Amino acid sequence: MTAPRFPNVTRRNLLLGTGALVVSFSLKDHAFAQEGELNVPAKPPEPVAAGPKLPGSLADTPSLDAWIRIDADSSVTVYTGKAELGQGTKTSLRQIAAEELEVPPASINLITADTAITPDEGFTAGSQTVQNSGTAIRNAAAQVREILIQQASGKLQVPADRLKAQNGRIVGPDGNSIGYGEVVMTDMLHVDAQPKSKLKSPDAYEYIGKPFARVDIPAKVTGGAAYVQDMRLPGMLHARVVRPPSWFATLKDIDTATIKAMPGVVAVIRDGNFLAVAAEKEFQAVQAMRALTGLAEWEEKPRLPNEQDLPAVLQKSESEQGVVAEAGGDFTGGVKTFSAQFMRPYQMHASIGPSCSVAHLDNGTMTVWTHTQGVYPDRKAIAQMLGMPLDKVRCIHTEGSGCYGHNGADDAAGDAALIARALPGRPIKVQWMRDQEHLWEPYGPAMLTKVSASLDASGKVVNWKYDLWSNTHSARPGSAGALLPGQLMASGYPPDKPVMSITPLGNGDRNAIPLYSIPNMRVLWHFVADMPVRVSSLRGLGAYANVFSIESFMDQLAKEAGADPVEFRLRHMEDPRARKVITTAAEASNWSNEPMPEGRGRGFAFAKYKNHAAYLALAMEIDVDKETGKIRIPRIVSAVDCGEAVAPDSIRNQTEGGIIQSLSWTMYEEVNFDNTRITSSDWSTYPILRFSAVPGSLDVHIVDNPGSPYLGVAEAAQGPTSAALANAIANATGKRLYNLPFSPARVKATLGV
Amino acid sequence: MKLNVNGSTHEVDADPATPLLYVLRNDLELNAAKFGCGLGQCGACTVMVDGKAIFSCLTPILLLEGREIKTVEGLGTIDSPGPMQQAFIEEQAAQCGYCIPGMMMRAQALLQSKPDASDAEIQVTLEPNLCRCGTHMRILKAVKRARELMKTAAMAPASGERKV
């Protein structure tokens, strides 16, 4: 018998205690709107669509001209509802469109997320850009090319099957040709896409899978205007917000006359607990913000739990229980049963550039430039917050510093809009300060997991019980209550009620189901509705803690079974692509069980992200200094399969980055708080990885599958990296760490030094 | 007061207590130096003053009259990138790219004063600068590449254009 696999698992939500079945549904082709992945098919889209369903995001926005525009001068414009977040989207989407349209990628004008002109593709999240938007653009481009050929056929008096598209022209057998712009007619592309497209075959690719320099890098390394932080509009004012010192704090009466009299100050805005200042010059705004901070008195409430008791707090706060997976039902077999408990603290997105936004209320229309991951949902929230009609609010994605999920971007956009409403006609730039980003961004939720499993006499896992305690990982906008200014303003909107949602995409339960073949399995999500601190989506959602737990425990079981950790994984793995990345990483790293020098260890881990996106395995070698508890990492070797590799260097870049970021989370990161305030307010109280800790070498091997569906890759490394490190420490020292992060103090304590 | 930035003198009308970063970004409209923390903890604002890397978010302009300030804009242009910029483009050493100008200026200060800086010295020098995307491996590669390109540029006949 094999492990439950997507999409054959029936999932249910059970009312805690009663066991009564309240909701029951089978997986559908369309998942529910959650965690930034609206209308995502449960199955990876096929490049050559087989059924009536349109490929990728064409399913939601079928009209070809929503994606591709060709002007009379033959210029090509491509529209995507997805945003560039530093993952190289502006480049890879051009490669995809160029491939089917037969034009050079650099000639394409690409328009990204803008509520006035691009398709609504929900959030740019969950490693879905190439998978959904890329698939839509690819198919739309191929269909547009065929329409152009059909049209040219009439004009050139040559049968369509003897024509081909080439470098922006339709070319006939005798070399006669006609430019795209001469063929295109009004509304010609205003037709719905067909389910099937005539896609180029991989052996004819000119751009997909080929090295192609990122289009955004030259400006970013030469001082070009690249970010919302770099915007300067005529008449623009600089604004700063003054946040409460803690959650639940309320602002007492305040006389702001002295602040208004400060040099350059144009306005002090107070709306309930929302406080801000706008000034002509930026440093004037900073000085006024500081003075206002000193002046403001707040009533604070000590409502945070004891951070030392987080596992107990999470268990106590359980409000509902959901079955993530059930298979078999015999939990009595096996000769030996093992169990373990793992803990992940609250962790930050911790963007290097604090959130920023520019807003302008002009002639009754509010335009907001924002580095949000979802311009459409953000527009909805801002319109509700301001009481404005949706069509009077426009959100334009403008790059910011890397976000890695739901950081302060949407809140800053709300701040800017609220201030701009008070100062019509003047563009307002809001720049958060460092402590504001650290203290007010929504954190990645703390999670507790417990696992127990039994081995039979042959060393196979015969049953597996897994319990996870977690908040929702989705508190993104859509409603005004998801915005900080929406919550703080006098007419305060309450935050949305957290809802447990179990879908194929996964949330807190993302990757909670092991991909391994285990005949008897039960996975439960103990849902925590009340949030001790504000939480939302952080890169990978629950996958980070779940893969950390599963892959740590698999290693532990391998040791108990007296097996090599790689062989033990393969013993339980049927998926040939999973086997391939596991063996590729093992071979490339010269995996072996040869003894290593004192203090050195090797660790291995694997996951298929979301159980339906990219496959990733990695091996690492580490040194543990028992005296200091410090970890050094001489070498990491990884292998990744994300289907057809569109932009190999971007895949490498994202994977390297994912591994290093996950090392940072795993070795250092934990949000600290006392009973009233968050105390991780800057880089000294929330340290992250610096250059002295980077691995000696980091290799990424891409297992390419030309012609196969794109699989999201940008978050695939987060989970496996943490477990590989835990496994390497266990291999080096004989002691395993179960609680994140592996700070030197914790390493020393675990080693009993 | 007068500030010398990238070889030109600018008359700046600002409170002398203003950190250099705000003057660069707003008064002079130079985008490269970034606001990251305002605390000297992340290095996103790093620029060079008299050849040394400094945190522009912490340095008030009153300390800078008559001193040579250099930013990424002074290393080259998009059409004619300098060796440090060329190296970061060649190595595709950016994800979001927000921290990169600060990295480049700290590396530039090192390599200008020590053209043969070792790999280990490069790594130690970059310690004050944070990257959140995890682009560290590429940043190190790019700075090593810049070390070579800067030597080639230094040996080439002085065209002025590539000189740093």
Side-chain angles (χ1 to χ4, degrees), chain A residues 214-286:
Chain A
R214 286 243 316 257
V215 297
D216 55 330
I217 289 181
K220 287 176 175 176
V221 301
T222 53
Y227 306 92
V228 67
Q229 284 90 344
D230 302 332
M231 282 184 69
R232 292 174 207 95
L233 298 180
M236 187 177 83
L237 296 174
H238 293 272
R240 288 294 184 280
V241 291
V242 173
R243 292 283 188 238
S246 59
W247 281 96
F248 317 110
T250 48
L251 181 59
K252 298 179 185 174
D253 280 342
I254 184 168
D255 180 1
T256 58
T258 54
I259 307 297
K260 284 177 183 154
M262 288 178 72
V265 171
V266 175
V268 175
I269 294 108
R270 187 203 171 166
D271 187 346
N273 295 314
F274 179 86
L275 198 54
V277 60
E280 296 288 349
K281 300 193 83 168
E282 186 164 20
F283 190 53
Q284 292 169 337
V286 172

Side-chain angles (χ1 to χ4, degrees), chain A residues 389-413:
Chain A
L390 216 47
D391 62 0
K392 292 291 179 195
V393 179
R394 176 183 184 184
C395 288
I396 302 171
H397 184 267
T398 313
E399 278 188 67
S401 175
C403 61
Y404 330 107
H406 177 193
N407 69 349
D410 303 275
D411 301 318

